[in-house]
Amino acid sequence: MKLDAAALDLLFRQARSHNKFTDASVSDDTLRELHDLLKLGPTSANCSPARYLFLRTPEAKQRLAPALSSGNLEKTMAAPVTVIVAYDPSFYEKLPQLFPHNPDARSWFTSNDSLAATTAFRNGTLQGGYLVLAARALGLDTGPMSGFDNTKVDEEFLSWRGWRSNFLVNLGYGDPSGMFPRSPRLDFDDACVLL
Ligand SMILES: Cc1cc2nc3c(=O)[nH]c(=O)nc-3n(C[C@H](O)[C@H](O)[C@H](O)COP(=O)(O)O)c2cc1C
């Protein structure tokens, strides 16, 4: 089965990265619905290392403000929700629950720090991408951002949990008046190799 044209437009062709959002709020139920979808995206050994902090109050946003680059400050303060897409470097502690058919899975990572770090970041980043696409599938819009001080975000929100920040995503219902024109993408022949 293939999605119809309207669904492909919603997910990709008409979907944009947004700088401005309408005043429409995003309910906590919608955030739960979002997580129920994105958690089903694949990760290696189902390790699911991403963690998500949904900042949806002025108080939480103010705690984030000092870490934001100047270009990202105003729009992030105004967005209905800002997600800190983080990851748990000790994700492997949950493998007995997440990958029950192989009791050895945890030891693949406890015996190899480099593999654990690469796995956490690779899969945590993928899950951030799933969040963007799941949001679009629910009719939401996103504005992903890496322009911020990771160390400050970690100290303010994450260190006591043992988690680390990856990137941020503003979330809401987009106001197209804040958008730049779509930038070109690479053609198939510039990005792809058929072997
Ligand atoms: C991981 C990531 C980090 C980004 N960081 C920023 C950022 O710090 N500030 C910003 O204004 N846009 C940021 N963007 C938005 C990109 O510039 C935008 O997604 C890209 O130009 C494509 O735009 P389009 O989705 O509207 O086609 C980021 C996007 C991604 C995926």
Side-chain angles (χ1 to χ4, degrees):
M1 180 202 140
K2 183 178 168 182
L3 292 178
D4 65 18
L8 294 176
D9 284 348
L10 183 75
L11 289 175
F12 294 101
R13 291 191 291 236
Q14 298 294 329
R16 296 293 314 278
S17 298
H18 281 266
N19 295 305
K20 204 170 165 189
F21 297 88
T22 70
D23 291 337
S25 60
V26 179
S27 70
D28 288 358
D29 282 347
T30 298
L31 298 177
R32 288 179 184 280
E33 201 180 354
L34 175 67
H35 183 255
D36 279 344
L37 287 180
L38 79 88
K39 72 183 181 185
L40 296 173
T43 54
S44 62
N46 197 32
C47 64
S48 309
R51 305 291 181 260
Y52 313 91
L53 277 71
F54 294 107
L55 313 186
R56 77 276 194 265
T57 63
E59 294 74 25
K61 292 289 197 72
Q62 281 308 322
R63 290 173 60 194
L64 179 66
L68 294 170
S69 70
S70 55
N72 288 333
L73 179 59
E74 206 177 320
K75 64 180 179 181
T76 302
M77 292 300 107
V81 177
T82 303
V83 191
I84 300 175
V85 179
Y87 61 96
D88 183 358
S90 300
F91 66 90
Y92 43 78
E93 298 297 352
K94 293 197 187 299
L95 283 177
Q97 170 195 345
L98 293 171
F99 205 57
H101 61 277
N102 191 332
D104 290 339
R106 179 180 174 276
S107 69
W108 303 338
F109 301 101
T110 53
S111 62
N112 189 335
D113 289 348
S114 162
L115 178 67
T118 303
T119 301
F121 192 68
R122 175 184 294 133
N123 289 281
T125 303
L126 274 173
Q127 290 186 279
Y130 303 148
L131 180 144
V132 169
L133 287 173
R136 291 174 176 181
L138 292 175
L140 291 158
D141 294 294
T142 64
M145 294 170 294
S146 52
F148 69 98
D149 185 327
N150 288 74
T151 305
K152 283 188 182 165
V153 168
D154 293 358
E155 283 169 359
E156 179 64 30
F157 292 97
L158 302 171
S159 295
W160 67 274
R161 301 174 196 266
W163 301 350
R164 289 196 198 133
S165 57
N166 188 343
F167 64 102
L168 307 174
V169 181
N170 285 336
L171 201 59
Y173 298 93
D175 174 349
S177 72
M179 253 167 18
F180 301 109
R182 177 81 103 174
S183 296
R185 298 303 207 263
L186 295 178
D187 290 332
F188 184 91
D189 288 341
D190 293 322
C192 310
V193 179
L194 293 171
L195 297 172

